[in-house]
Amino acid sequence: MQIAVLGAGTMGHGIGQVSAMAGHEVVLYDIESEFVENGLEQIEANLEAGLEHGVEQETVEATLDRLSGTTDLEEACGGADLVIEAVPERMELKRDTFSDVEAIVDDDAIIATNTSSLSVTEIASVLDRPERALGIHFFNPVHIMPLVELVVAAQTDDETLATATAFIEEMDKESAVVRDFPGFASSRLGVTLGVEAMRMVEQGVASPEAIDTVMEIGYNHPVGPLKLTDVVGLDVRLDILEYLSEELGDRFRPPQILKQKVRAGETGKKSGEGFYVWEGGEAVGVSELWSDE
């Protein structure tokens, strides 16, 4: 297929990479050329790192050959069979993006959102043909995480879901089909654990490191809830919690510590500090709040 990925950030460039690795022609779009270039450079870095883990040089070269970038939305979406938006988690922005895309693509093109919590039904309601829309929710880091959540909106038809399911299978990833309900399955369960861990930090129950260790060793989680929050992004988690709090009630109310950190620019791994301090993509210590020094 010809695929357009809108947004070259953390999720967008990852989606572009795995789509190209699966054999599809991919155009990566963003509003600034710098963003596009950074996204393509990150894809190349991921692929080069993959050489140490069994990825063939031929695969790296073929993947890069299938990728291109642009700041022109018509160039990105013209002729696309599938468009996946990975723009910031703001309802109006996603609705506007869907509307702009539909004006460009053919009638049989699928338009998907990578939203992690917003209503796909509401996003798709701006379309003249909303039956061709659904959520394709990838997990970070996209090129490593094996799960993709397929979110069926009220309007999604069977053909659209079947095409999306086959697309995920081609990537050797596992799909989980869920109904369009606030938080879907993944975000609702994930942030429930994360928000309780943050409240425990606020209350002085234990350090972020101790809380994560309990879940990693005691419950066999691959990564603790606070370190995962840093990887996802504290700002992203805050957006999700604010939305879920509005939709589902006070149990999803964002903790004050999360608001404070986001206001301070401590958004996790991408900023260098969240509940942990990060250097070179690795956690090297806990935030000053829990430093023993």
Side-chain angles (χ1 to χ4, degrees):
M1 291 191 294
Q2 177 73 35
I3 297 175
V5 180
L6 311 184
T10 300
M11 297 305 297
H13 76 249
I15 295 168
Q17 176 181 332
V18 296
S19 298
M21 290 184 76
H24 304 290
E25 297 295 324
V26 179
V27 181
L28 189 63
Y29 164 87
D30 215 313
I31 58 174
E32 299 286 347
S33 58
E34 179 184 359
F35 300 157
V36 176
E37 291 166 8
N38 288 342
L40 292 172
E41 288 173 2
Q42 187 58 60
I43 291 172
E44 186 168 2
N46 289 344
L47 290 168
E48 292 295 334
L51 291 172
E52 300 177 6
H53 301 281
V55 177
E56 299 290 338
Q57 181 66 42
E58 182 180 347
T59 300
V60 172
E61 294 173 0
T63 299
L64 293 174
D65 285 344
R66 297 187 194 104
L67 281 160
S68 62
T70 184
T71 57
D72 186 321
L73 187 64
E74 290 196 19
E75 180 182 342
C77 298
D81 302 296
L82 170 63
V83 178
I84 305 173
E85 69 80 12
V87 304
E89 288 282 274
R90 297 196 297 273
M91 177 60 73
E92 286 309 308
L93 176 58
K94 290 183 180 293
R95 283 165 59 88
D96 289 346
T97 300
F98 262 43
S99 182
D100 291 342
V101 168
E102 188 175 45
I104 299 169
V105 297
D106 295 335
D107 288 345
D108 58 352
I110 294 174
I111 306 175
T113 173
N114 183 59
T115 183
S116 58
S117 62
L118 298 178
S119 170
V120 180
T121 299
E122 184 175 350
I123 296 170
S125 67
V126 299
L127 299 177
D128 291 332
R129 294 194 58 214
E131 67 275 7
R132 46 135 152 221
L134 82 165
I136 304 181
H137 176 210
F138 290 84
F139 292 77
N140 183 31
V142 178
H143 63 292
I144 294 174
M145 296 296 285
L147 179 66
V148 178
E149 198 172 31
L150 295 179
V151 185
V152 179
Q155 311 97 319
T156 306
D157 65 18
D158 291 342
E159 183 179 356
T160 297
L161 178 59
T163 301
T165 301
F167 170 62
I168 299 307
E169 288 176 353
E170 290 170 355
M171 298 178 179
D172 292 326
K173 292 185 181 292
E174 186 77 22
S175 62
V177 179
V178 301
R179 292 176 59 193
D180 183 26
F181 199 84
F184 316 139
S186 60
S187 292
R188 187 170 174 180
L189 290 169
V191 300
T192 297
L193 184 57
V195 76
E196 189 61 28
M198 294 177 215
R199 288 177 182 145
M200 291 169 66
V201 173
E202 278 187 328
Q203 294 164 358
V205 174
S207 71
E209 198 169 39
I211 293 168
D212 281 348
T213 297
V214 166
M215 297 311 299
E216 290 168 4
I217 298 178
Y219 286 84
N220 202 30
H221 286 203
V223 61
L226 293 167
K227 188 170 287 185
L228 180 60
T229 294
D230 272 12
V231 172
V232 171
L234 275 68
D235 51 340
V236 175
R237 278 284 165 92
L238 178 58
D239 287 342
I240 293 171
L241 284 169
E242 288 177 337
Y243 174 71
L244 292 181
S245 178
E246 180 180 339
E247 293 289 327
L248 299 176
D250 195 54
R251 69 186 185 276
F252 290 103
R253 174 178 49 84
Q256 195 63 31
I257 191 173
L258 177 61
K259 294 180 180 179
Q260 290 172 340
K261 282 188 167 291
V262 172
R263 288 168 185 158
E266 297 176 7
T267 55
K269 183 177 179 180
K270 59 189 172 185
S271 72
E273 183 169 349
F275 288 97
Y276 293 83
V277 176
W278 296 81
E279 292 180 6
E282 299 293 332
V284 297
V286 294
S287 177
E288 184 179 347
L289 177 68
W290 272 97
S291 175
D292 293 330
E293 298 180 358

